[in-house]
């Protein structure tokens, strides 16, 4: 005769990590990469160099040693330091900021797939949509940080080196200091949305490959092709779907009164690219086996 001893049934209970912890961990991981720190450092130094170069050009024109181009630059920036962030944000949007957005998107998925880290995440009991959301959040925050660094450092460098307490608009009048900062903040938000759109497309490409360089090449190549197509008048029927075609309208922030039609169109176009990019990335990640 045997006695049956009731043993407690041990069940394994899986718990999900808090979303806040995942987001903080992803941000720390991305920011601590050496290339991220170098890129943000370059963005912080570039406005200072640009302000010094403009100050030198102004002094050269005042001494009568510059040509017509130098005199035009001097007339625009002399005592108009708050024009510097507008100039640098628009200039950076043409290549530098999209490059960084594409680089971080490439690191988020393709880079980790190349090292094998992404396969472990995909095999773990983690929702694919949740994983993509965490990666997209890290890319979006770094892109926002990059644009803010350019704007803030440009404001400080412009006021310190070039001087001025307002912004000379393209309409010929001078905006007060508070209104000028508002225009710069608006441009910062608009540029950020455009960089997010580029990063979303890059994230879709990153989800489909294991080679980060492919993501960079395809994204930047697409921007170059879009820019070329946007400058061909015979293809004006194609311009409404080109993301880069709306970037010129962002310069309207320094007009007074400020037209908003072009800026609204630029935001709507960027949102369309955001939705398409993240949808394609989610479709690929949902079926990816590592």
């Amino acid at each position: 005769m045997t006695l049956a001893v009731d043993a407690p049934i041990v069940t394994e209970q899986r718990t999900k990590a808090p979303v806040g912890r995942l987001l903080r961990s992803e941000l720390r991981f991305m920011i601590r990469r050496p290339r991220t720190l170098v890129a943000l450092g370059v963005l912080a130094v570039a406005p200072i160099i640009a302000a010094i170069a403009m100050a030198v050009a102004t002094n050269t024109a005042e001494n009568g040693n510059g040509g017509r181009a130098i005199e035009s630059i001097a007339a625009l920036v002399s005592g108009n330091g708050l024009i510097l962030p507008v100039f640098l944000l628009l200039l950076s949007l043409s290549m530098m900021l999209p490059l960084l957005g594409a680089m971080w998107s490439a690191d988020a998925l393709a880079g980790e797939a190349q090292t094998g880290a992404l396969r472990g995440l995909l095999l773990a009991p983690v929702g694919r949509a949740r994983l993509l959301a965490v990666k997209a959040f890290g890319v979006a925050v770094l892109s926002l940080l990059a644009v803010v660094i350019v704007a803030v450092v440009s404001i400080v460098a412009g006021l310190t080196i070039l001087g001025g307490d307002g912004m000379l608009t393209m309409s010929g009048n001078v905006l007060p200091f508070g209104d000028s900062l508002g225009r710069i903040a608006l441009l910062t938000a608009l540029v950020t949305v455009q960089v997010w759109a580029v990063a979303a497309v890059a994230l879709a490409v990153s989800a489909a490959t294991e080679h980060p360089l492919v993501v960079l090449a395809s994204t930047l190549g697409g921007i170059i092709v879009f820019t070329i197509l946007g400058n061909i008048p015979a293809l004006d029927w194609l311009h409404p779907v080109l993301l880069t075609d709306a970037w010129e309208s962002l310069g309207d922030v320094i007009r007074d009164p400020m037209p908003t039609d072009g800026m609204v169109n630029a935001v709507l176009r960027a949102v369309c690219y955001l939705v398409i990019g993240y949808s394609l990335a989610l479709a690929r990640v949902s079926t990816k086996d590592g």
Side-chain angles (χ1 to χ4, degrees):
M1 182 176 180
T2 59
L3 296 177
V5 179
D6 294 335
I9 299 176
V10 179
T11 60
E12 183 179 358
Q13 185 177 5
R14 297 183 182 274
T15 59
K16 291 184 178 180
V19 176
R21 183 188 303 173
L22 292 175
L23 297 179
R24 289 193 299 270
S25 176
E26 181 68 17
L27 280 179
R28 285 196 299 268
F29 178 70
M30 295 184 70
I31 291 178
R32 289 176 179 176
R33 286 192 179 109
R35 54 180 169 270
T36 299
L37 297 176
V38 171
L40 295 179
V42 170
L43 289 178
V45 173
I48 300 175
I49 298 176
I52 294 175
M54 290 183 177
V56 171
T58 301
N59 293 333
T60 301
E62 290 177 351
N63 295 331
N65 297 325
R68 184 173 301 177
I70 298 296
E71 292 177 356
S72 299
I73 295 176
L76 178 63
V77 304
S78 180
N80 191 27
L82 289 179
I83 200 67
L84 181 65
V86 176
F87 172 73
L88 288 182
L89 283 172
L90 295 176
L91 183 63
S92 300
L93 181 60
S94 62
M95 188 57 66
M96 184 63 180
L97 291 174
L99 170 64
L100 294 181
M103 180 186 74
W104 290 322
S105 294
D107 288 338
L109 294 178
E112 295 194 6
Q114 188 178 54
T115 60
L118 184 63
R119 181 175 179 84
L121 293 174
L122 293 175
L123 295 177
V126 178
R128 302 296 179 92
R130 194 183 194 204
L131 174 63
L132 180 62
V134 171
K135 297 296 184 181
F137 174 81
V139 174
V141 171
L142 283 183
S143 300
L144 173 61
L145 178 61
V147 179
V148 170
I149 286 176
V150 174
V152 172
V153 177
S154 297
I155 292 173
V156 176
L159 292 176
T160 303
I161 299 175
L162 300 176
D165 56 358
M167 179 190 296
L168 177 63
T169 67
M170 294 178 65
S171 304
N173 59 326
V174 178
L175 294 176
F177 182 76
D179 292 343
S180 301
L181 292 182
R183 297 290 183 93
I184 296 172
L186 175 60
L187 180 60
T188 301
L190 294 173
V191 170
T192 300
V193 173
Q194 302 302 316
V195 178
W196 283 348
V198 175
V201 176
L203 198 63
V205 180
S206 183
T209 182
E210 296 182 357
H211 305 283
L213 289 180
V214 172
V215 181
L216 293 176
S218 58
T219 304
L220 297 182
I223 292 176
I224 294 173
V225 171
F226 276 26
T227 303
I228 294 174
L229 294 178
N231 290 321
I232 300 177
L235 298 177
D236 55 353
W237 55 271
L238 185 62
H239 295 174
V241 301
L242 300 178
L243 179 64
T244 57
D245 189 63
W247 289 355
E248 293 182 1
S249 62
L250 302 184
D252 290 340
V253 295
I254 55 175
R255 296 183 184 274
D256 191 37
M258 182 177 61
T260 59
D261 292 343
M263 290 182 283
V264 172
N265 180 45
V267 172
L268 293 177
R269 201 175 303 186
V271 170
C272 291
Y273 275 85
L274 275 167
V275 173
I276 294 173
Y278 286 139
S279 298
L280 292 176
L282 180 59
R284 177 56 183 149
V285 169
S286 299
T287 57
K288 194 177 182 68
D289 59 358

